């Protein structure tokens, strides 16, 4: 008997079809069991936690059957209070399974303070990079009457005058009082 004839014997074809059927049946049952075991269709939405305190964020996550993990970060955002959530992963509105971990990054409470570099009577073009490289943000630039055109006269933080060498938090916004080149001096 040739090998070709062996594959067309009735008992061989039956056994082959039976093996294929059993393989498909086991695969189907395994996939259904896997979907049930992993909770394939059971999902919840991730709430927006940005700006919340850690206690409030924990409460929201618990109410949505989610877990939290706090990640260490040196990020600081002056727009949020110390200890509040500034980043989260997965993002708000994402559909996730129950008991999923949501990674939280908190605004540090002891963000380092740095001293103000000497930029008084330096041009705005020189002062901006010095302040930004030190870690500050430039806020409003206000021009007043002063002989030094585009020279920094004063620095303010939250409306208060600050001096060279004062220590304030990194990433703070500084407002600059700059001369406009007019000869009359305004003693603001």
């Amino acid at each position: 008997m040739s090998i070709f004839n062996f594959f067309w014997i009735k008992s061989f074809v039956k056994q082959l079809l039976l093996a294929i059927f059993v393989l498909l049946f086991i695969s189907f049952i395994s996939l259904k069991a896997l979907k049930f075991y992993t909770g394939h269709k059971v999902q919840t939405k991730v709430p927006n936690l940005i700006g919340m305190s850690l206690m409030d964020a924990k409460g929201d996550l618990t109410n949505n059957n989610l877990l939290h993990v706090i990640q260490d970060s040196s990020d600081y955002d002056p727009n949020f209070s110390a200890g509040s959530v500034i980043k989260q992963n997965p993002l708000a509105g994402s559909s996730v399974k129950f008991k999923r971990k949501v990674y939280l990054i908190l605004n540090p409470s002891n963000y380092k303070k740095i001293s103000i570099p000497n930029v008084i009577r330096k041009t705005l073009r020189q002062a901006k990079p010095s302040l930004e490289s030190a870690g500050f943000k430039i806020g409003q630039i206000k021009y007043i009457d002063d002989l030094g055109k585009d020279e920094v006269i004063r620095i303010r933080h939250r409306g208060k005058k600050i001096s060279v060498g004062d220590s304030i938090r990194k990433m703070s916004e500084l407002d600059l009082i700059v001369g406009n080149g007019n000869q009359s001096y305004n003693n603001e």
Side-chain angles (χ1 to χ4, degrees):
M1 179 192 305
S2 72
I3 238 175
F4 181 74
N5 288 338
F6 173 74
F7 286 119
W8 290 108
I9 296 175
K10 193 175 184 181
S11 62
F12 178 75
V13 172
K14 274 187 191 178
Q15 292 298 320
L16 184 63
L17 290 175
L18 182 62
I20 291 172
F21 175 75
V22 168
L23 182 66
L24 290 175
F25 180 73
I26 289 173
S27 298
F28 177 77
I29 295 298
S30 297
L31 288 174
K32 288 295 180 184
L34 190 60
K35 281 185 180 182
F36 175 75
Y37 178 73
T38 59
H40 184 65
K41 298 259 180 180
V42 181
Q43 294 186 338
T44 185
K45 295 268 187 202
V46 177
N48 186 6
L49 306 171
I50 304 297
M52 289 185 172
S53 69
L54 180 58
M55 293 302 289
D56 292 341
K58 281 181 184 179
D60 273 10
L61 291 173
T62 303
N63 291 341
N64 287 302
N65 289 322
L66 297 170
L67 305 173
H68 73 280
V69 175
I70 299 170
Q71 291 186 315
D72 189 28
S73 173
S74 63
D75 292 347
Y76 177 74
D77 191 339
N79 299 324
F80 296 106
S81 61
S84 62
V85 177
I86 57 174
K87 291 181 186 174
Q88 72 181 63
N89 186 20
L91 298 175
S94 301
S95 292
V96 296
K97 295 178 185 175
F98 289 122
K99 303 292 183 192
R100 169 77 153 77
K101 291 179 183 174
V102 177
Y103 296 91
L104 305 175
I105 295 177
L106 303 179
N107 212 13
S109 56
N110 289 340
Y111 203 63
K112 75 176 162 184
K113 291 185 174 186
I114 51 177
S115 62
I116 303 291
N118 187 7
V119 293
I120 304 299
R121 291 294 171 188
K122 291 190 178 178
T123 64
L124 186 60
R125 188 173 176 186
Q126 294 170 322
K128 277 180 81 171
S130 289
L131 293 170
E132 288 171 345
S133 67
F136 299 108
K137 292 182 181 178
I138 304 300
Q140 294 181 347
I141 298 173
K142 181 181 176 187
Y143 287 89
I144 62 170
D145 288 339
D146 187 79
L147 186 58
K149 183 167 175 59
D150 288 332
E151 283 187 357
V152 176
I153 312 296
R154 284 189 250 352
I155 304 172
R156 292 188 178 273
H157 175 60
R158 295 184 179 167
K160 295 179 183 173
K161 181 181 174 184
I162 55 174
S163 303
V164 172
D166 287 353
S167 293
I168 59 173
R169 292 197 191 282
K170 192 174 182 179
M171 300 295 290
S172 295
E173 191 172 278
L174 302 177
D175 299 327
L176 302 178
I177 313 298
V178 178
N180 62 9
N182 293 339
Q183 292 208 359
S184 64
Y185 182 72
N186 183 2
N187 200 8
E188 190 181 316

